[in-house]
Amino acid sequence: MKPILFQKARLIDPDLKMDMRGDLLVENGVVSALGPELLPTADAEKIDCGGAVLAPGLVDLHVHFRDPGQTEKETLETGCAAAANGGFTAVVTMANTKPAVDSPELIRSCIKRNRTMDCRIYPGGAVTKGLGGKELTDFEALKEAGAVCLTDDGITVGSGPLFYEAMEKAAAVGLPVSVHCEAPGFEGDRSMNRGEISKKLGLAGAPALAEELMIMRDVFFAEKTGAHVHVQHVSSRRGVEIIAAAKARGVAVTGEATPHHMFLDETAILECGANAKMSPPLRTADDAAAIREALMSGVLDVVATDHAPHTPAEKALGIAKAPNGIIGLETSLGLCLDGLCRERGFSLSSLVERMSSAPRRIFKLPPVHLQPGSPADLTLFDPERRWRVDAAKFKSKARNCPFNGWTLSGTVLMTVLGGRIVCDRRTFRAIGCIKRSVAIQ
């Protein structure tokens, strides 16, 4: 493997409190040296970063790759390619495939297949067999096989006694439980947020109450059992408040903010139709503001995409009948750079923390740092280079993207996995320039 010398980069590693200009050398799959100016080895590929940011690779704790069972939507290979194209070097896959990932054999199969792909996959294992909500899986066996969390994502385990038992067992084996919060019987038709717009469209919608009730239950169960509960795709202000109060009491709870819940609201349905349909749904502008504020303050710990591919034919069924979910791996960084850093003054170091360091830490994934000996899982991005979202050119198989046509600031230039370049977009054509007076700090 050819050595790579990154020159004139802005090196950011929040865990090391590093934000400096300098060079970084990769040899034999690991970081071998860094400093203000390194002398290149004779055979090294030299990359002039021109001040672009070099950081530990991004991590997404919540993706759906539909493999096995629905590979017409996405495969492990195309999902990993999409992840690399978005700057991600690691993802956690959800268990709601067909069949569900509810056995050690399926966990091991995923890990074995992933060895030659463009992104590291850390699989989640199902809480209940077949996601049926009736019988718990073997948590210890799933962990031994390589599962990094337990989740029935897409479905809430409705039985309180069964889920309380699950939390007790999860605490005993030391696995976080990643929860989709939606109270059975309160979810309406799951078409969109329940409110004035749903009324005008003649849809029942899904109220925020359905989500908030289950966040309350699951946080309370975590408090009683000592389990770590990770609340997925939080979408409402009240949900944020419940999590904040639990954290103040010392409960082991973490939470996700998705780019779509931060930068879209329920009005997007009117423009994008089913390509803006997901669960939980887009809520009000005030709710979106609350999710952004919670991510920036640390009440919500990580950015996660809930990357959920569907076919065009499925999304063409319309708001009432189309499946929930949008793709997000290839737009996440640009949306956050624009919507958090450029527009709201969030620092680059803090964003890297939410998209790289914190996900690894809270799910106990192998650490990656800009220091000698660390795996060379790296993301190089230009926070000021603009590009236009064109879903037709994505690496994902799917095209269900409500951000299609948006112009974003922040281009992934290169993704490196174990010293191997898995995405190289240095020649990606920018569309204009950004005035230095509004440059991201």
Side-chain angles (χ1 to χ4, degrees):
M1 190 182 303
K2 192 174 183 179
I4 306 172
L5 177 61
F6 293 95
Q7 298 175 308
K8 302 174 185 176
R10 181 177 174 182
L11 305 172
I12 294 181
D13 188 329
D15 282 356
L16 301 180
K17 296 182 172 23
M18 177 190 296
D19 188 345
M20 58 177 275
R21 307 280 174 169
D23 298 354
L24 183 142
L25 180 64
V26 172
E27 294 179 296
N28 301 315
V30 301
V31 176
S32 62
L34 73 159
E37 188 172 355
L38 299 179
L39 294 175
T41 59
D43 58 342
E45 178 179 357
K46 292 179 285 187
I47 297 173
D48 185 345
C49 301
V53 173
L54 186 65
L58 307 183
V59 181
D60 192 336
L61 296 184
H62 187 169
V63 303
H64 301 267
F65 284 175
R66 311 300 189 196
D67 187 352
Q70 294 179 305
T71 52
E72 72 280 5
K73 301 185 184 190
E74 197 80 285
T75 65
L76 297 184
E77 289 82 2
T78 61
C80 283
N85 205 39
F88 292 89
T89 58
V91 297
V92 175
T93 51
M94 298 295 99
N96 61 338
T97 50
K98 295 184 178 180
V101 183
D102 59 2
S103 69
E105 291 75 21
L106 285 170
I107 294 286
R108 285 193 286 266
S109 174
C110 176
I111 293 171
K112 182 178 180 180
R113 287 180 56 194
N114 177 237
R115 290 173 184 168
T116 59
M117 296 178 193
D118 293 342
C119 180
R120 302 188 196 279
I121 292 177
Y122 295 97
V127 175
T128 64
K129 292 184 178 179
L131 308 183
K134 295 181 179 179
E135 184 180 357
L136 298 182
T137 57
D138 186 335
F139 294 179
E140 187 171 357
L142 291 174
K143 181 179 181 179
E144 289 178 357
V148 298
C149 70
L150 300 164
T151 180
D152 274 10
D153 178 42
I155 304 172
T156 296
V157 180
S159 168
L162 183 68
F163 195 61
Y164 190 85
E165 181 185 353
M167 296 285 269
E168 289 181 314
K169 291 185 175 180
V173 301
L175 281 178
V177 185
S178 191
V179 292
H180 175 106
C181 293
E182 190 174 36
F186 286 89
E187 71 274 27
D189 63 4
R190 306 184 85 209
S191 59
M192 62 177 298
N193 183 51
R194 182 175 295 178
E196 292 303 315
I197 296 177
S198 67
K199 289 179 183 177
K200 290 178 181 177
L201 296 178
L203 298 168
L209 176 66
E211 179 181 0
E212 293 154 4
L213 284 171
M214 282 295 105
I215 294 177
M216 290 178 70
R217 183 199 74 170
D218 294 351
V219 163
F220 185 71
F221 283 3
E223 188 170 16
K224 291 295 183 181
T225 63
H228 171 192
V229 64
H230 179 72
V231 184
Q232 300 174 334
H233 43 47
V234 181
S235 74
S236 78
R237 181 173 289 277
R238 183 58 178 151
V240 166
E241 292 170 352
I242 296 166
I243 292 169
K247 284 191 168 188
R249 299 195 306 271
V251 180
V253 55
T254 53
E256 299 172 355
T258 71
H260 48 275
H261 286 118
M262 287 192 284
F263 307 123
L264 296 174
D265 61 43
E266 59 189 344
T267 61
I269 284 281
L270 301 175
E271 180 180 351
C272 302
N275 277 343
K277 180 186 179 184
M278 67 284 295
S279 180
L282 299 173
R283 303 207 189 273
T284 67
D286 179 68
D287 289 316
I291 304 305
R292 292 192 300 268
E293 293 160 5
L295 190 279
M296 290 189 287
S297 71
V299 171
L300 296 180
D301 304 80
V302 300
V303 176
T305 66
D306 190 11
H307 178 84
H310 294 293
T311 66
E314 289 174 308
K315 282 297 188 178
L317 295 173
I319 298 171
K321 295 182 180 180
N324 285 302
I326 67 169
I327 55 175
L329 282 165
E330 293 168 86
T331 53
S332 181
L333 179 60
L335 287 164
C336 290
L337 285 167
D338 252 355
L340 298 177
C341 299
R342 185 171 303 286
E343 294 182 17
R344 294 175 174 87
F346 200 50
S347 73
L348 278 174
S349 182
S350 295
L351 182 61
V352 171
E353 197 275 337
R354 303 293 194 275
M355 297 188 73
S356 178
S357 307
R360 286 191 177 91
R361 183 171 60 250
I362 66 177
F363 269 24
K364 300 177 182 178
L365 305 182
V368 173
H369 292 300
L370 302 186
Q371 64 182 12
S374 178
D377 292 1
L378 307 168
T379 303
L380 178 69
F381 65 91
D382 184 343
E384 298 187 22
R385 194 172 185 181
R386 302 173 73 210
W387 61 288
R388 184 170 289 113
V389 177
D390 183 355
K393 297 179 180 179
F394 282 176
K395 299 295 184 181
S396 171
K397 274 191 173 186
R399 301 292 178 259
N400 49 311
C401 173
F403 304 107
N404 205 36
W406 284 35
T407 297
L408 301 177
S409 301
T411 300
V412 174
L413 301 177
M414 181 175 289
T415 308
V416 178
L417 185 70
R420 177 171 61 96
I421 297 173
V422 292
C423 171
D424 189 348
R425 302 170 79 232
R426 284 173 289 172
T427 60
F428 189 82
R429 186 176 178 182
I431 55 168
C433 61
I434 298 294
K435 293 180 181 179
R436 302 303 297 184
S437 61
V438 292
I440 297 170
Q441 298 301 311

